């Protein structure tokens, strides 16, 4: 009993010390938005809120989002920077990013200490293009 | 009885350690004024106020400053075209360089929100500020 508790204590302390340098989400968006019990991939989440299909064709996330959601606001759609920060931090008492993922900026950003700049993590999309619209894809194949 | 006492003590240690790992309480802000909320006179036995730390590294007097870090920009504002790093780069480097031994990372979790706040409505991060504490 004593040994088990000591092991637990040591483990917990180790975790608390190394937490800062650990990186559970090396590819940012696509490292967190994955298919689990709930399909939380971005293509699915965006389809659920009526986002156009253009997003599905985006290869690098979130870089490709800038095609429409230019960070400086010059695109056809809202700035992705403002949009993403709002989505992840509004209503903090109920927002899963804050309540479950501690709202940690470093889930999405990395810090280049040598240069002194924060940057945005990037990763390749984690979905196939046909996932969301199998009926239309099937009808095309039949043609 | 002794066994129970050990178990209770260790359980307490585990609980405290786990609380440290778990997500911070939503809305709680231990450092509402950023720099001056963390850099205080008694951090253990060390005077961690910026006036003391900067004096130790040979920085000129900061007695005339009022708001931190706002007034740092009176000097730390590189001229256009200069190779000098902006103030933000300087502060980020100091706080994240060599993360395995950097106190801000190892002791304070390297949490961006100790210095920054997020304006969720505007979707923009901002720098916290406060009156000098020296």
């Amino acid at each position: 009993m004593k040994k088990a508790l000591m092991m637990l204590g040591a483990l917990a302390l180790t975790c608390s010390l190394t937490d800062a340098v650990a990186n559970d989400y090396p590819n940012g968006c696509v490292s967190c938005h994955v298919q689990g019990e709930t399909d939380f991939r971005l293509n699915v989440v965006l389809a659920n809120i009526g986002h156009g299909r253009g997003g599905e064709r985006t290869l690098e996330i979130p870089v490709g989002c800038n095609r429409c959601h230019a960070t400086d606001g010059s695109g056809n759609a809202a700035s992705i920077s403002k949009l993403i920060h709002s989505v992840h931090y509004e209503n903090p008492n109920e927002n899963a990013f804050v309540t479950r993922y501690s709202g940690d900026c470093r889930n999405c950003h990395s810090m280049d200490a040598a240069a002194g700049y924060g940057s945005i993590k990037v990763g390749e999309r984690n979905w196939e293009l046909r996932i969301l619209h199998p009926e239309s894809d099937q009808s095309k194949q039949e043609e | 009885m002794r066994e129970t006492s050990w178990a209770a003590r260790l359980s307490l240690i585990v609980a405290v350690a786990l609380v440290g790992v778990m997500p911070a309480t939503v809305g709680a802000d231990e450092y509402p004024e950023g720099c001056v909320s963390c850099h205080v006179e008694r951090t253990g036995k060390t005077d961690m106020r910026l006036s003391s730390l900067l004096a130790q590294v040979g920085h000129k007097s900061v007695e005339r400053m009022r708001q931190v870090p706002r007034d740092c920009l009176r000097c730390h504002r590189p001229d256009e075209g200069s190779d000098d790093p902006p103030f933000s780069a300087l502060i980020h480097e100091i706080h994240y360089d060599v993360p395995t031994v950097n106190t801000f990372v190892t002791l304070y979790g390297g949490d961006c929100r100790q210095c920054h706040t997020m304006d969720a409505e505007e979707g923009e991060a901002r720098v916290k500020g406060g009156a000098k504490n020296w």
Side-chain angles (χ1 to χ4, degrees):
Chain A
M1 174 68 173
K2 216 192 297 181
K3 277 187 180 175
L5 283 167
M6 285 178 80
M7 288 283 284
L8 266 175
L11 178 65
L13 284 170
T14 303
C15 287
S16 69
L17 291 175
T18 56
D19 184 49
V21 287
N23 188 352
D24 292 333
Y25 307 102
N27 293 319
C29 312
V30 293
S31 291
C32 189
H33 286 271
V34 295
Q35 185 173 19
E37 284 182 23
T38 303
D39 192 347
F40 208 55
R41 290 173 301 169
L42 286 172
N43 60 326
V44 176
V45 172
L46 291 175
N48 287 341
I49 60 170
H51 190 283
R53 276 192 77 178
E56 288 182 52
R57 295 196 295 273
T58 303
L59 183 61
E60 288 283 314
I61 313 294
V63 177
C65 306
N66 290 335
R67 289 200 311 267
C68 298
H69 294 276
T71 306
D72 63 4
S74 63
N76 293 328
S79 157
I80 191 164
S81 172
K82 292 187 175 186
L83 195 63
I84 294 300
H85 283 135
S86 290
V87 167
H88 286 81
Y89 287 98
E90 65 189 357
N91 302 321
N93 292 322
E94 299 164 10
N95 194 311
F97 181 69
V98 177
T99 57
R100 289 185 58 185
Y101 299 95
S102 78
D104 193 333
C105 312
R106 292 164 302 168
N107 291 345
C108 313
H109 296 276
S110 55
M111 175 56 67
D112 180 342
Y117 289 106
S119 56
I120 299 166
K121 296 179 185 175
V122 177
E124 200 167 306
R125 70 177 175 224
N126 54 0
W127 61 85
E128 298 294 332
L129 291 179
R130 293 181 181 180
I131 288 175
L132 284 179
H133 304 277
E135 66 288 345
S136 58
D137 291 324
Q138 195 174 355
S139 62
K140 276 182 189 172
Q141 283 176 357
E142 287 169 359
E143 287 170 11
Chain B
M1 180 63 184
R2 182 174 290 176
E3 178 79 16
T4 307
S5 174
W6 259 102
R9 285 181 194 175
L10 283 167
S11 297
L12 185 62
I13 292 172
V14 171
V16 169
L18 284 173
V19 166
V21 176
M22 288 169 70
T25 308
V26 175
D29 188 349
E30 290 182 63
Y31 307 100
E33 297 188 315
C35 313
V36 293
S37 292
C38 190
H39 286 273
V40 294
E41 187 167 8
R42 290 189 179 81
T43 306
K45 293 179 179 176
T46 309
D47 184 351
M48 280 286 282
R49 289 177 301 171
L50 289 170
S51 53
S52 301
L53 293 180
L54 291 173
Q56 287 173 32
V57 297
H59 191 284
K60 68 180 185 180
S61 173
V62 290
E63 290 300 320
R64 291 173 57 195
M65 287 179 63
R66 289 182 180 175
Q67 286 287 321
V68 184
R70 182 196 69 185
D71 292 348
C72 304
L73 296 176
R74 290 208 300 252
C75 296
H76 290 277
R77 188 188 292 270
D79 296 331
E80 200 170 326
S82 162
D83 289 334
D84 292 341
F87 185 63
S88 61
L90 186 69
I91 296 300
H92 284 140
E93 184 183 346
I94 289 169
H95 286 81
Y96 288 97
D97 199 20
V98 196
T100 50
V101 294
N102 192 311
T103 306
F104 179 68
V105 178
T106 58
L107 205 57
Y108 296 96
D111 191 337
C112 313
R113 291 165 303 166
Q114 290 174 6
C115 312
H116 297 275
T117 53
M118 175 55 66
D119 181 338
E121 197 170 320
E122 291 296 320
E124 289 182 2
R126 307 193 192 288
V127 180
K128 295 178 186 175
K132 70 180 181 189
N133 56 0
W134 59 86

